[in-house]
Amino acid sequence: MAFELLDSRIRQFLKDKDIHEPTGPQRNAIPRILEGKHVLLVAPTGIGKTEAAMLPILHRLVTTDGKGIKCIYVTPLRALNRDMLRRFEEFGEALGLNVSVRHGDTSQSERQRQSKNAPDILITTPETLQILFTGKNLRAHLSNVRYLIVDEIHELTDDERGAQLAVAMERLTLLAGEYQRVGLSATVGSVQEVANFLVGTGREVTVIREKVAKQMAISVQSPRVEEIDKDLAGTLQSDPQLMSCMRRCRELIEAHRSTLLFVNTRDTAEALAARYHVWDENFPVGVHHGSLSKEIRIEMEEAFKSERLKGLICTSSLELGIDVGSVDFTIQYNSPRQVARLIQRMGRAGHQVGGRAEGAIVASNPDEIAESLVIVRKALHDELEPFAVRDCPLTVLVNQLVAMAMVGNVVKDDAYNIIKRSYPFRKLERERFDKVLELAAQIGLLFLNESDYKKSARGRKYFYDNISMIPDERTYLVRDLATRAVVGTLDESFVVSFAEPYASFITRGRTWRIVEVREEELLVEQVKEIGSIPSWVGEDIPVPYSVAQEVGRLRREEDYSHYHGDAPANSSLAEYIRSQRAKAVLPSDTVVTLEMGKRLAILNVCFGTKVNETLAKMLSTLLSARLGESVGVTTDPYRIILDLPRDIRPDVILETLRSLRTGTVEGLLRMVIRNSSHLRWRFVYVAKKFGAVDKEADYRNINFNRLVEAYEDSVMFDEAVDKVLWEDLDLPATAAVVARLESGEIELHVCGLSPIGEAGLQHSKELITPQRADHSILMALKRRLEDETLFMSCLNCTSQHRLKAKEAPKRVLCPKCGGSMMAALASYNKDTIKLVKKQKRTEEEEKELRRLFKNASLVSSGGRKAMVVLAGRGVGPDTAARVLSSYHEDEDALLRDILTAEINYARNKRFWD
């Protein structure tokens, strides 16, 4: 038996913990690790995966003499570090081993202690591992490393953090020699790719995989709307169907002891939590996501663990193995989008060994139902989506070239050879390596000699500014005025577009009103109302091509016998398909339909998120060139929606689609990307990671065109284009779809607007983004704003009259009393003029009155231009003042700012579509 191979002290410790039998992963992994093999262990959370790796290594540590760090345990999250420290300290006390954790929050005194007296086991993150290479004492301690464990390795393999870690693992061999590597992974679709990532080139690895499909019981549910849902929809400012889903989730939470309710985005988490608290203040449910402060997250974890909370609404922040106690049920709100994600989330429940993980997906509409049915079937049959490690991310290459120079001169050949040994850089060509090195020197990060290089002063600053490869967006602290506690963070894009005094928003599942906007933080107070939902970056989960194709097949075959939906879910989907067949051709995995409306076209295409985005970019570019005017485009996993400048014949769109050729897809895409908004943000990120733009630079102040001119023919620009191709689009699958279109395997049909097309308009279509807004779009916005009827309200006599901005004189005066303080109000807030003559006003009414005077001051000084800005939907006087003060002659820039504010307002009113 596996435990018999371990030191007697370890066996006694396990007996004291009432652990007598190894789990499956422990039984299979312990002997292999004791043999000294590199091992990748793939298994769900909660069945002893961590102990399977640590027990044999603890056995080696207690039977081996020597000082210094012998084992490094790497996790992708600080929260996991906290959990691991608690678990390993028990082992350490029993076995006489020192265990420490080191990450960004570690105190200076603790770091100094580790430098002088290194622990036997160091728990850390990929970023902090980079720092360990720089200190003289720490480098000496690293020379003793014999074992390295990477926990949740699947979270790191397909991004730049992972590539940085892969190079670090090779750099460690320069100090410690060859050491044993162990990776712990959740169930993934490309196990060998993860294994290769773990060991790099030229090393063998043993893969141990624990099957999970039979350990899960999952159903897809879609509750019918009842009278209570209609009543609640009015109270909670929502839709009856969404309220029925909330009601069902609540029933499931109340029927179990401890339930995790997973959602796909932080704004959905906040929207649900806020509505539950308005619905019933005593309903014991909390919220947990990455933009809440560490203190709040820990508070939520502890409250859930101690069962003071019955439910915890969470995002991917709790997908990984963070200890939240015993979970007996898991709910997924709407489709999880990916099979691996569902398995990871459902795996959090029912973790007694041999037990089943029980859960449900609660879906709100037929698209969500179909997608959920497919993902559950795939999960139960172990059909996970494949993924690949990105080759040669050059942002990581320049980062590591500078990092290696932090301790002295580096021989170029040595740097190339060590980096090329890591799996992500196994295909790195010497010519490309040299070009990156030369560009780093040109930017001023390095000094090059003939055979070696060294860091510059700027390079040193660059290293400490760019230890992390996680994309940066400036964040603001949200501080409770009453307690002075930090309750969370907001991204800069949300604060700039939305936050102004007295505006309300949701975080921590509660509504807060902004009292003051400071340079680094917002002061807030809690209020009882439904506020707006903040926007956070990096949230969308793409639906894979394989999932979308099976959704199309399910539509076509209508055979639900292999799927796990309840009766209402199956009935809702069947009715959706029946209504589509009655009105138009049914789009499926082999049929594409084109629906034509008024200056609108909808392509129903079951190709998934990235393929549809890729097709949409090519199609809109070609159509814009053909029509000579801008074509707006939005996508979801099952549709491409085209906003046309005028009505056109469907043949024009079909001919453009048929003109695509497999051999020219990549060339066309690269041309399209150069002119896309995607490239702008990716290129600024890449420029920051190359050190060409300062990390703290405000993206609004970066002259993008000058940046492109300076580096257009460099490897930095190539990296930005490659990054868009890899992260935002799907070139191989799109080429395969184009080949199917060419061969006639996929049929094309034209029809009018149908139920499936209209569903896309209801829950997927977004407003055109400002980056896509050319001059003609902005002029259309200007005409609309000028035509808005405003209620001109006199602060002297309180009389009101209607006036359109385009009809306003240079100076707006009251026709009744001649007063010049005239506020421009929309229909929804025109009654606030009554506050002027009200004798006793509440604190809230006083604030509203101050906003009224600010509005009138803007009109008095800005005249017609101020009225145009205030006509923007959801644009308050503070936002208007900021817009007006920023621009003088640049009308397009002013209009683009108004459009940004309007889009933010519209998105924040749509709580979770």
Side-chain angles (χ1 to χ4, degrees):
M1 191 175 78
F3 286 173
E4 293 172 357
L5 302 173
L6 302 174
D7 185 271
S8 59
R9 289 166 287 181
I10 297 174
R11 295 202 304 272
Q12 185 59 50
F13 177 83
L14 294 173
K15 286 179 183 176
D16 292 344
K17 290 288 182 182
D18 202 27
I19 299 171
H20 304 285
E21 295 288 332
T23 64
Q26 292 165 358
R27 189 165 45 249
N28 294 322
I30 289 172
R32 303 288 86 76
I33 295 172
L34 284 174
E35 290 168 8
K37 294 181 177 179
H38 301 301
V39 171
L40 174 67
L41 173 57
V42 182
T45 304
I47 54 173
K49 188 167 52 178
T50 303
E51 287 72 17
M54 279 308 300
L55 289 174
I57 288 173
L58 288 169
H59 169 86
R60 293 295 184 202
L61 293 180
V62 297
T63 56
T64 305
D65 294 328
K67 293 185 177 181
I69 302 168
K70 302 184 192 71
C71 174
I72 297 177
Y73 194 102
V74 179
T75 78
L77 293 177
R78 294 179 190 179
L80 279 174
N81 286 354
R82 292 198 305 269
D83 283 347
M84 291 304 143
L85 182 62
R86 282 198 293 264
R87 291 164 72 173
F88 289 166
E89 278 181 335
E90 290 187 74
F91 280 112
E93 288 171 12
L95 303 174
L97 296 171
N98 294 319
V99 183
S100 291
V101 66
R102 186 174 180 126
H103 51 56
D105 292 338
T106 304
S107 67
Q108 190 60 37
S109 59
E110 173 63 14
R111 294 180 191 200
Q112 289 173 350
R113 190 185 68 78
Q114 292 171 4
S115 181
K116 292 176 183 175
N117 301 294
D120 299 294
I121 302 169
L122 182 67
I123 304 164
T124 191
T125 60
E127 288 73 29
T128 303
L129 182 57
Q130 295 291 317
I131 299 288
L132 300 183
F133 288 107
T134 61
K136 183 179 177 181
N137 290 347
L138 287 171
R139 285 171 62 82
H141 295 318
L142 288 178
S143 66
N144 298 296
V145 170
R146 295 292 171 265
Y147 312 97
L148 184 140
I149 301 171
V150 185
D151 200 356
E152 307 286 4
I153 190 173
H154 62 284
E155 283 290 311
L156 295 165
T157 47
D158 62 347
D159 64 16
E160 289 164 346
R161 289 182 80 201
Q164 186 188 46
L165 174 63
V167 176
M169 289 193 290
E170 296 305 325
R171 289 171 60 198
L172 185 58
T173 63
L174 297 177
L175 299 174
E178 287 295 323
Y179 54 87
Q180 188 176 3
R181 307 182 190 199
V182 177
L184 304 178
S185 173
T187 306
V188 290
S190 302
V191 173
Q192 194 57 48
E193 189 82 345
V194 179
N196 294 340
F197 172 88
L198 173 67
V199 298
T201 59
R203 301 181 187 92
E204 293 185 359
V205 58
T206 300
V207 175
I208 299 171
R209 188 172 185 187
E210 187 79 5
K211 297 286 184 182
V212 299
K214 294 179 181 177
Q215 300 169 7
M216 295 190 298
I218 316 168
S219 64
V220 177
Q221 305 180 15
S222 184
R224 294 188 173 95
V225 174
E226 298 178 4
E227 283 304 314
I228 186 176
D229 304 319
K230 296 175 184 176
D231 295 338
L232 278 170
T235 306
L236 301 181
Q237 302 173 22
S238 189
D239 174 84
Q241 183 61 56
L242 299 178
M243 291 315 307
S244 71
C245 292
M246 279 188 64
R247 173 175 51 78
R248 181 58 184 149
C249 289
R250 179 171 180 169
E251 290 167 356
L252 290 169
I253 290 169
E254 289 176 335
H256 294 87
R257 189 187 73 257
S258 294
T259 300
L260 289 178
L261 171 51
F262 279 102
V263 297
N264 293 335
T265 62
R266 286 169 275 186
D267 50 5
T268 306
E270 292 289 6
L272 287 176
R275 277 159 179 71
Y276 277 128
H277 290 137
V278 172
W279 181 3
D280 180 358
E281 184 64 35
N282 297 315
F283 183 44
V285 66
V287 64
H288 187 290
H289 60 70
S291 287
L292 294 171
S293 66
K294 182 180 78 172
E295 292 74 19
I296 296 297
R297 291 199 303 272
I298 293 172
E299 178 189 322
M300 291 291 178
E301 291 163 18
E302 294 300 326
F304 185 72
K305 202 185 303 186
S306 63
E307 298 186 11
R308 297 195 305 277
L309 292 175
K310 280 182 70 71
L312 195 55
I313 303 169
C314 52
T315 60
S316 54
S317 60
L318 284 183
E319 269 181 28
L320 306 183
I322 297 169
D323 182 15
V324 287
S326 178
V327 178
D328 65 337
F329 200 76
T330 305
I331 304 169
Q332 168 68 44
Y333 177 78
N334 275 330
S335 162
R337 310 295 181 222
Q338 296 171 351
V339 181
R341 215 168 267 275
L342 177 68
I343 290 173
Q344 184 81 346
R345 291 176 175 184
M346 290 296 156
R348 296 308 310 263
H351 277 327
Q352 62 277 20
V353 176
R356 291 196 311 173
E358 295 191 357
I361 300 178
V362 178
S364 63
N365 64 59
D367 280 351
E368 296 285 356
I369 293 167
E371 192 172 285
S372 300
L373 290 173
V374 167
I375 288 173
V376 169
R377 189 205 65 75
K378 282 178 166 287
L380 295 176
H381 288 81
D382 214 23
E383 297 175 16
L384 287 88
E385 43 274 318
F387 73 90
V389 173
R390 184 185 167 204
D391 290 336
C392 304
L394 300 187
T395 49
V396 176
L397 177 56
V398 71
N399 175 279
Q400 289 301 284
L401 287 171
V402 176
M404 294 170 78
M406 288 299 290
V407 291
N409 287 25
V410 181
V411 176
K412 293 177 186 177
D413 289 347
D414 292 347
Y416 175 70
N417 291 330
I418 200 71
I419 289 170
K420 193 174 167 65
R421 271 173 30 195
S422 69
Y423 187 68
F425 290 98
R426 66 197 181 283
K427 298 177 183 176
L428 178 64
E429 297 169 353
R430 182 59 190 253
E431 182 184 1
R432 209 166 191 209
F433 171 87
D434 288 336
K435 282 184 178 179
V436 172
L437 200 57
E438 288 162 10
L439 183 57
Q442 180 187 328
I443 290 167
L445 304 181
L446 302 171
F447 294 120
L448 299 187
N449 300 316
E450 189 173 336
S451 61
D452 65 3
Y453 69 90
K454 63 181 180 179
K455 72 176 184 300
S456 66
R458 182 174 178 178
R460 178 180 174 82
K461 180 181 184 299
Y462 163 88
F463 171 76
Y464 287 107
D465 280 347
N466 292 277
I467 289 166
S468 172
M469 296 306 297
I470 299 170
D472 299 308
E473 181 173 11
R474 183 182 173 193
T475 57
Y476 287 74
L477 297 178
V478 179
R479 191 179 297 279
D480 184 354
L481 189 62
T483 64
R484 310 303 295 178
V486 174
V487 295
T489 61
L490 292 176
D491 286 347
E492 180 181 38
S493 57
F494 179 78
V495 174
V496 168
S497 302
F498 173 79
E500 57 182 47
Y502 319 122
S504 59
F505 66 94
I506 293 171
T507 192
R508 198 184 164 190
R510 298 284 195 273
T511 299
W512 306 82
R513 181 185 291 121
I514 298 170
V515 177
E516 185 181 345
V517 181
R518 295 184 171 179
E519 192 166 332
E520 301 292 337
E521 65 182 17
L522 304 181
L523 293 183
V524 299
E525 59 187 2
Q526 194 170 327
V527 291
K528 287 195 173 183
E529 58 184 61
I530 299 291
S532 295
I533 311 299
S535 58
W536 285 287
V537 297
E539 292 253 274
D540 291 340
I541 302 169
V543 175
Y545 173 71
S546 59
V547 168
Q549 279 284 278
E550 187 169 334
V551 168
R553 195 182 80 209
L554 176 58
R555 287 178 183 174
R556 175 167 55 85
E557 296 177 350
E558 281 195 84
D559 179 3
Y560 304 120
S561 60
H562 303 297
Y563 298 93
H564 296 260
D566 66 2
N570 290 345
S571 173
S572 175
L573 181 56
E575 177 56 34
Y576 183 57
I577 294 171
R578 195 158 42 246
S579 65
Q580 176 70 20
R581 288 188 190 276
K583 291 189 175 182
V585 176
L586 179 73
S588 69
D589 55 331
T590 58
V591 173
V592 168
T593 63
L594 171 62
E595 303 183 7
M596 301 301 296
K598 186 71 174 173
R599 293 173 58 183
L600 176 78
I602 303 171
L603 278 161
N604 293 302
V605 281
C606 297
F607 300 143
T609 304
K610 288 189 175 184
V611 173
N612 284 1
E613 182 69 23
T614 310
L615 280 173
K617 285 202 169 303
M618 294 191 292
L619 196 56
S620 63
T621 299
L622 293 173
L623 279 171
S624 295
R626 185 166 180 172
L627 299 174
E629 294 182 74
S630 177
V631 174
V633 62
T634 54
T635 65
D636 69 26
Y638 308 101
R639 299 164 191 86
I640 297 170
I641 302 171
L642 301 169
D643 288 304
L644 302 169
R646 60 180 185 272
D647 288 335
I648 62 173
R649 292 179 296 103
D651 291 354
V652 175
I653 297 172
L654 292 181
E655 287 167 11
T656 307
L657 186 60
R658 290 190 179 111
S659 72
L660 297 174
R661 292 290 176 266
T662 311
T664 61
V665 167
E666 183 173 356
L668 177 58
L669 261 182
R670 288 186 177 275
M671 182 193 77
V672 169
I673 288 169
R674 294 174 78 90
N675 300 308
S676 76
S677 58
H678 280 275
L679 182 65
R680 183 184 190 95
W681 310 118
R682 294 297 187 201
F683 190 46
V684 169
Y685 165 80
V686 169
K688 286 185 175 183
K689 291 303 177 188
F690 263 78
V693 173
D694 189 73
K695 179 188 176 184
E696 300 300 324
D698 187 331
Y699 68 88
R700 293 168 300 175
N701 298 328
I702 295 170
N703 189 320
F704 179 69
N705 292 330
R706 285 184 60 185
L707 193 63
V708 170
E709 284 174 17
Y711 295 104
E712 191 167 13
D713 297 321
S714 72
V715 286
M716 190 166 81
F717 190 83
D718 294 342
E719 167 70 3
V721 173
D722 288 343
K723 192 171 171 64
V724 172
L725 281 172
W726 179 264
E727 296 189 10
D728 301 320
L729 308 174
D730 188 340
L731 180 57
T734 303
V737 166
V738 170
R740 291 175 66 198
L741 285 167
E742 282 184 273
S743 69
E745 182 186 337
I746 295 175
E747 299 174 20
L748 297 173
H749 294 272
V750 179
C751 56
L753 287 179
S754 73
I756 285 180
E758 289 172 354
L761 293 175
Q762 289 167 16
H763 61 77
S764 297
K765 188 175 183 294
E766 288 191 359
L767 291 163
I768 191 165
T769 61
Q771 291 74 37
R772 213 182 276 130
D774 61 14
H775 183 69
S776 63
I777 291 167
L778 294 173
M779 288 303 99
L781 171 66
K782 180 186 177 184
R783 288 192 295 272
R784 197 204 82 210
L785 294 172
E786 287 182 333
D787 213 39
E788 288 280 350
T789 297
L790 295 167
F791 289 81
M792 305 309 297
S793 309
C794 178
L795 271 59
N796 181 44
C797 69
T798 70
S799 68
Q800 291 181 315
H801 69 280
R802 298 183 182 202
L803 183 66
K804 292 181 178 179
K806 68 181 180 183
E807 297 167 355
K810 278 191 176 181
R811 191 165 179 226
V812 183
L813 299 174
C814 175
K816 187 173 181 180
C817 73
S820 61
M821 286 294 282
M822 301 289 294
L825 303 177
S827 57
Y828 63 83
N829 67 344
K830 65 184 177 70
D831 289 341
T832 54
I833 192 64
K834 295 175 183 176
L835 295 174
V836 173
K837 291 190 174 181
K838 190 173 181 180
Q839 296 298 313
K840 292 184 177 180
R841 291 184 287 265
T842 65
E843 184 181 348
E844 178 59 36
E845 287 171 337
E846 288 288 351
K847 291 174 182 176
E848 196 59 45
L849 187 62
R850 289 196 290 272
R851 286 164 61 85
L852 197 62
F853 273 89
K854 185 175 283 189
N855 181 312
S857 296
L858 286 173
V859 174
S860 177
S861 60
R864 182 172 164 181
K865 184 183 277 190
M867 288 178 63
V868 167
V869 177
L870 287 163
R873 291 164 191 163
V875 177
D878 289 291
T879 299
R882 191 160 57 238
V883 170
L884 286 164
S885 65
S886 299
Y887 304 103
H888 301 289
E889 303 303 325
D890 189 350
E891 186 177 59
D892 276 15
L894 181 140
L895 289 166
R896 194 170 274 112
D897 250 24
I898 299 171
L899 185 55
T900 300
E902 286 200 339
I903 288 170
N904 201 288
Y905 177 71
R907 283 176 176 160
N908 288 324
K909 281 173 65 182
R910 287 169 35 191
F911 286 104
W912 65 109
D913 53 348

